[in-house]
Amino acid sequence: ACVLREVESSDLERLRALRNAADNRRWFFDPSPVTEEQQLAWFNRYLADEGDVLYVIEGDGRPVGTLGLASIDRRQGTAELGRMLVESGARRRGWARKAVGILLDYAFGTAGLHRVFVELQEENSAARALFRSCGFEEEGVLRAALVVDGRRTNKVVLAALNRSTVPGAPRA
């Protein structure tokens, strides 16, 4: 079974290791490794920010990754899905797809949002395919919007809409 639970201070070292893994770091807009001090400072800011939620993805009772909602704007009914990381040994087992589905159910149900978006490096074809399979549609490309490894690259924006607030909106 796939379960999402809120991140706790006891998760910080695991999260930092996951965030710093080279195969995850390459897809961050800032791929610099995170120090223990930076992680703790981030966690303290996170605890004070009501517009940000982060979950640990548990697959069959063990942590396999993270994902969350950031920049939650209740007035506009929007949020950004982000901080999605999955341990290399847990990939291609359906945990990410299930976790995104659970998060969208929360966002569109309990949280009452109508639009959840994600921004990705254009080259991240695996993430683009995952989000499309979860009902996200590509909305556009921000040309040369990122500098990654010293070179300019495009950013892609995808979004899923709440069918109950936007009639006819696609959602897997």
Side-chain angles (χ1 to χ4, degrees):
C2 183
V3 174
L4 300 185
R5 66 165 174 80
E6 277 202 70
V7 67
E8 302 168 350
S9 60
S10 60
D11 296 312
L12 289 181
E13 188 51 39
R14 168 178 264 129
L15 295 181
R16 189 168 72 84
L18 189 56
R19 165 63 170 84
N20 284 341
D23 56 339
N24 284 326
R25 214 174 60 233
R26 67 182 280 215
W27 298 117
F28 273 77
F29 297 159
D30 177 0
S32 305
V34 174
T35 66
E36 189 174 344
E37 295 77 24
Q38 290 170 321
Q39 182 82 1
L40 185 57
W42 164 82
F43 187 65
N44 289 329
R45 286 190 309 273
Y46 163 76
L47 291 175
D49 186 352
E50 293 182 11
D52 199 0
V53 292
L54 182 65
Y55 298 99
V56 171
I57 304 167
E58 290 189 347
D60 290 335
R62 71 173 197 85
V64 296
T66 65
L67 86 162
L69 294 174
S71 304
I72 299 170
D73 183 334
R74 298 209 185 275
R75 183 170 176 227
Q76 296 300 323
T78 62
E80 179 179 7
L81 190 152
R83 296 191 185 100
M84 181 156 198
L85 299 167
V86 177
E87 292 180 0
S88 58
R91 293 185 189 142
R92 300 215 170 278
R93 297 189 180 186
W95 300 124
R97 189 175 199 286
K98 289 174 187 170
V100 170
I102 293 167
L103 189 66
L104 288 178
D105 287 346
Y106 164 77
F108 295 150
T110 305
L113 302 177
H114 92 238
R115 179 176 182 273
V116 173
F117 69 96
V118 62
E119 296 180 341
L120 307 167
Q121 290 180 39
E122 187 175 46
E123 296 85 7
N124 194 342
S125 58
R128 289 169 77 179
L130 166 71
F131 287 111
R132 278 194 214 109
S133 78
C134 294
F136 284 70
E137 290 189 8
E138 289 196 18
E139 294 186 329
V141 175
L142 305 175
R143 297 176 300 143
L146 300 169
V147 175
V148 178
D149 293 330
R151 66 176 181 80
R152 286 267 166 210
T153 188
N154 297 339
K155 183 190 296 187
V156 177
V157 179
L158 298 94
L161 302 177
N162 183 341
R163 288 182 296 197
S164 69
T165 62
V166 183
R171 168 103 173 13

